[in-house]
Amino acid sequence: MSTPPVSKPRCWAEIDLDALRHNLAKAREWSGCELMAVVKAGAYGHGLEPMAAVIAQEGAAYLGVAHVGEARRIREAAITTPIYLLGPTWAGEREEIVAQGWVACVSSLDEAEDFERLAAAAGVQLSVHIALDTGMGRGGFLPDELMKHLEALKAMTHLNWIGIGSHLPSADEDRVFTESQIECFERVIDSIDGVKWLSWRHLLNSAGLMGYKSPSCNLARPGLMLYGVSSNPQCQAELATVMSLKSRITLIRTLPAGHGVSYGRDYITDKPTRVATIGVGYGDGYPRHLSGKGAEVFLAGQRCPLLGRVTMDQIMVDVTDMDVKVGDEVELFGAHIPLVEVAQKAGTIAWEVFTGITPRVTRIYKS
Ligand SMILES: *Cc1c(COP(=O)(O)O)cnc(C)c1O
């Protein structure tokens, strides 16, 4: 029996694993620290298992995930790098965390007591970090709360306190506040003699490690920069592009002057216009909010303007006077159209565009 034909993908994301390796090295170089590589949300839409596997090969101290579902997938992929849960846990997740030996950061006395009880019941020693809130307002002990509970925490016989971490809400926006957070973090570590008994001290995300030093830190937590995007334009040129979102022209026609293009007829041709239809839309994660915002795609060596609204599965671009044909490749973002430009025009951030690339988009890895 002959196998039925299978078409090439309509819309795909090319993911360059060498670029990931390059960016990991940059994160190490710039921070001077070991890395907790952040791979939450499917490694920012790049695909959790393949990215985690490369990061593990390159040697990271931790893989940082948002929750136990992601931790489980990494373990099922037989990746043995220690796994760190970046936020508070709720009671229904803790038994699994204790059984698997995943590393939680603890935000409250209640959370610590529950882990202590579960670890005792399982007969294990559980490694945990202290989460400290120096200004993010999302999790962690406030500094004076930590002081109040410190003795109780240290007295828990089934918990090994091996680290302390805090998070920066505005390292790419507010230098004065970020420096005050670093001071606060350093002051707390100093006052609890943390360098002596906490093996890991960590504060800096991508924007943090590109612009700041926190003297007692020996671990950095980069996410976005590993995927080739810098919130600091000066560092962008030193990072390598990891993901390129691509599709193909499915149709080319010349529309007469006065013809509407796409839903709502926001765009009306003012002259005869050669219009290419491309097989990508917001159903793939190409942001619908790009409609009418001057967005461009890269095609046949040049930029061409998006016409009218982004639809679920298709967009239209102006290819008047261009030498293009049906089947030609189109870059939506990547080496020629920076992701940051797409995010800005869509009124959002790079993180959201990456994590919005849907499962319908085939991820193609090259090393
Ligand atoms: C997501 C996250 C990071 C990574 O942030 P980037 O800005 O993508 O580098 C680091 N630390 C914590 C706690 C996070 O939640």
Side-chain angles (χ1 to χ4, degrees):
M1 227 171 61
S2 66
T3 44
V6 176
S7 314
K8 286 185 186 168
R10 164 73 70 95
C11 174
W12 69 102
E14 282 173 17
I15 294 165
D16 182 342
L17 298 175
D18 271 339
L20 171 64
R21 292 186 185 98
H22 170 91
N23 298 334
L24 280 162
K26 283 284 164 196
R28 261 206 194 93
E29 181 192 325
W30 290 343
S31 67
C33 290
E34 293 285 306
L35 300 183
M36 176 189 296
V38 177
V39 295
K40 63 196 182 191
Y44 291 39
H46 292 63
L48 180 59
E49 291 88 351
M51 300 304 269
V54 170
I55 292 164
Q57 281 163 12
E58 297 297 304
Y62 286 102
L63 292 166
V65 300
H67 63 71
V68 292
E70 295 173 328
R72 206 181 300 132
R73 280 176 53 188
I74 291 172
R75 279 298 174 263
E76 282 166 3
I79 295 164
T80 55
T81 304
I83 295 175
Y84 183 91
L85 298 152
L86 289 157
T89 60
W90 75 284
E93 297 168 331
R94 292 182 194 140
E95 220 177 325
E96 183 178 9
I97 292 167
V98 170
Q100 298 294 341
W102 295 329
V103 179
C105 62
V106 175
S107 283
S108 69
L109 189 62
D110 277 357
E111 199 180 354
E113 282 169 343
D114 202 30
F115 273 126
E116 166 71 3
R117 182 181 63 77
L118 290 166
V124 297
Q125 288 291 119
L126 186 71
S127 290
V128 286
H129 290 215
I130 296 166
L132 180 71
D133 188 352
T134 57
M136 178 68 187
R138 189 172 69 174
F141 291 90
L142 296 170
D144 54 350
E145 271 175 11
L146 179 64
M147 296 308 169
K148 190 168 102 198
H149 298 309
L150 189 64
E151 288 317 309
L153 297 174
K154 287 173 96 168
M156 294 179 179
T157 52
H158 294 84
L159 299 188
N160 287 339
W161 297 97
I162 60 164
I164 184 166
S166 189
H167 194 37
L168 305 172
S170 47
D172 49 2
E173 292 171 19
D174 187 340
R175 178 131 218 128
V176 172
F177 183 74
T178 303
E179 273 164 2
S180 77
Q181 273 191 286
I182 292 173
E183 253 175 62
C184 173
F185 189 64
E186 292 294 330
R187 191 163 1 96
V188 169
I189 289 178
D190 199 44
S191 67
I192 64 174
D193 232 353
V195 174
K196 287 221 180 94
W197 56 284
L198 296 164
S199 311
W200 296 112
R201 287 90 53 188
H202 49 102
L203 175 63
L204 306 176
N205 53 6
S206 298
L209 76 84
M210 288 188 280
Y212 303 85
K213 288 275 175 235
S214 186
S216 70
C217 285
N218 61 352
L219 183 67
R221 300 189 313 263
L224 191 68
M225 70 164 288
L226 301 181
Y227 308 104
V229 176
S230 169
S231 50
N232 176 347
Q234 286 168 338
C235 298
Q236 185 59 59
E238 299 206 46
L239 297 178
T241 299
V242 179
M243 185 194 287
S244 303
L245 183 65
K246 296 195 171 169
S247 184
R248 286 178 201 283
I249 300 179
T250 54
L251 180 70
I252 301 176
R253 292 168 311 150
T254 299
L255 298 179
H259 200 288
V261 179
S262 197
Y263 290 116
R265 305 179 69 252
D266 288 345
Y267 186 84
I268 309 283
T269 55
D270 57 1
K271 56 181 185 318
T273 305
R274 236 172 131 229
V275 174
T277 301
I278 297 166
V280 63
Y282 63 79
D284 302 291
Y286 187 66
R288 185 175 172 278
H289 284 90
L290 289 169
S291 310
K293 294 289 166 27
E296 294 173 324
V297 305
F298 192 80
L299 169 57
Q302 73 181 74
R303 287 171 168 256
C304 359
L306 175 70
L307 301 178
R309 293 186 193 165
V310 174
T311 78
M312 190 185 290
D313 315 300
Q314 306 179 67
I315 59 172
M316 279 67 78
V317 302
D318 187 342
V319 294
T320 306
D321 298 330
M322 285 178 64
D323 181 19
V324 293
K325 56 184 189 311
V326 167
D328 280 359
E329 265 187 45
V330 180
E331 177 193 304
L332 290 316
F333 61 76
H336 305 93
I337 308 274
L339 175 66
V340 168
E341 174 187 321
V342 169
Q344 276 168 0
K345 286 182 174 165
T348 183
I349 54 174
W351 294 261
E352 193 185 40
V353 178
F354 270 150
T355 57
I357 303 302
T358 65
R360 184 166 79 177
V361 176
T362 308
R363 271 74 169 169
I364 298 176
Y365 298 92
K366 35 174 211 152
S367 49

Coordinates of all heavy atoms in Angstrom, one line a residue, residues 38 40 44 86 138 166-167 204-207 221-225 351, ligand 1:
V38 N 14.7 30.0 31.9 CA 13.3 30.0 32.1 C 12.6 29.4 30.9 O 12.8 29.9 29.8 CB 12.8 31.4 32.4 CG1 11.3 31.5 32.6 CG2 13.4 31.9 33.7
K40 N 9.1 28.4 30.9 CA 7.7 28.4 31.1 C 6.9 28.6 29.8 O 7.5 29.1 28.9 CB 7.3 29.4 32.2 CG 7.6 30.8 31.8 CD 7.6 31.8 33.0 CE 7.9 33.2 32.6 NZ 8.1 34.1 33.8
Y44 N 8.4 29.8 26.0 CA 8.0 31.0 25.3 C 7.5 30.7 23.9 O 7.8 31.4 23.0 CB 9.1 32.0 25.3 CG 9.5 32.7 26.6 CD1 9.5 31.9 27.8 CD2 9.8 34.0 26.7 CE1 9.9 32.5 29.0 CE2 10.1 34.6 27.9 CZ 10.2 33.8 29.1 OH 10.5 34.4 30.3
L86 N 8.6 28.7 39.5 CA 8.9 30.1 39.6 C 7.9 30.9 40.5 O 8.2 32.0 40.9 CB 8.9 30.8 38.2 CG 10.1 30.4 37.4 CD1 9.8 30.6 35.9 CD2 11.3 31.2 37.8
R138 N 3.8 39.9 43.7 CA 3.2 38.7 43.1 C 3.4 37.5 44.0 O 2.6 36.5 43.9 CB 3.7 38.5 41.7 CG 3.0 37.5 40.9 CD 3.5 37.5 39.5 NE 4.9 37.0 39.3 CZ 5.5 36.8 38.2 NH1 4.8 37.0 37.0 NH2 6.7 36.3 38.1
S166 N 14.3 36.8 44.3 CA 13.3 37.9 44.2 C 13.2 38.2 42.8 O 13.9 37.7 41.9 CB 13.8 39.0 45.1 OG 12.8 40.0 45.2
H167 N 12.2 39.1 42.4 CA 11.9 39.4 41.0 C 11.8 40.9 40.8 O 11.4 41.6 41.7 CB 10.7 38.6 40.6 CG 10.4 38.6 39.1 ND1 11.4 38.4 38.2 CD2 9.3 38.6 38.4 CE1 10.9 38.3 37.0 NE2 9.6 38.5 37.1
L204 N 18.1 38.4 38.9 CA 18.0 39.1 37.6 C 17.4 38.3 36.5 O 17.8 37.1 36.3 CB 19.5 39.4 37.2 CG 20.3 40.2 38.3 CD1 21.7 40.4 37.8 CD2 19.6 41.6 38.6
N205 N 16.3 38.8 35.9 CA 15.7 38.3 34.7 C 16.6 38.9 33.5 O 17.6 39.4 33.7 CB 14.3 38.7 34.6 CG 14.1 40.2 34.8 OD1 15.0 41.0 34.9 ND2 12.8 40.7 34.8
S206 N 16.1 38.7 32.3 CA 16.9 39.2 31.1 C 17.2 40.6 31.2 O 18.4 41.0 31.1 CB 16.1 38.9 29.8 OG 15.8 37.6 29.6
A207 N 16.2 41.5 31.4 CA 16.5 42.9 31.5 C 17.4 43.3 32.6 O 18.3 44.1 32.6 CB 15.2 43.7 31.6
R221 N 18.2 34.4 36.0 CA 17.0 33.7 35.5 C 16.6 34.3 34.2 O 15.5 34.9 34.1 CB 15.9 33.8 36.5 CG 16.1 33.2 37.9 CD 14.8 33.2 38.7 NE 14.1 34.5 38.6 CZ 14.2 35.5 39.5 NH1 14.9 35.3 40.6 NH2 13.6 36.6 39.3
P222 N 17.4 34.2 33.1 CA 16.9 34.7 31.8 C 15.8 33.9 31.2 O 15.8 32.7 31.2 CB 18.2 34.6 31.0 CG 18.9 33.4 31.5 CD 18.6 33.4 33.0
G223 N 14.9 34.6 30.6 CA 13.9 34.0 29.7 C 14.0 34.6 28.3 O 14.7 34.1 27.5
L224 N 13.4 35.7 28.1 CA 13.3 36.3 26.8 C 14.6 36.4 26.0 O 14.6 36.1 24.8 CB 12.7 37.8 26.9 CG 12.2 38.4 25.6 CD1 11.0 37.7 25.0 CD2 11.9 39.9 25.8
M225 N 15.7 36.7 26.7 CA 16.9 36.9 25.9 C 17.4 35.6 25.3 O 18.1 35.6 24.3 CB 18.0 37.6 26.7 CG 18.6 36.7 27.8 SD 20.1 37.4 28.5 CE 21.3 37.0 27.1
W351 N 6.9 38.9 24.7 CA 6.6 37.7 25.5 C 5.2 37.2 25.1 O 5.0 36.0 24.9 CB 6.5 38.0 27.0 CG 7.8 38.4 27.7 CD1 8.6 37.6 28.4 CD2 8.4 39.7 27.7 NE1 9.7 38.3 28.9 CE2 9.6 39.6 28.5 CE3 8.1 41.0 27.2 CZ2 10.4 40.7 28.8 CZ3 8.9 42.0 27.5 CH2 10.1 41.9 28.3
Ligands
LIG1 C1 9.3 34.8 33.6 C2 10.3 35.0 34.7 C3 11.6 35.2 34.5 C4 12.2 35.5 33.1 O1 11.9 36.8 32.7 P1 12.4 37.4 31.3 O2 12.0 38.8 31.3 O3 11.7 36.7 30.2 O4 13.9 37.2 31.2 C5 12.5 35.3 35.5 N1 12.0 35.2 36.8 C6 10.7 34.9 37.1 C7 10.3 34.8 38.5 C8 9.8 34.9 36.1 O5 8.5 34.6 36.4

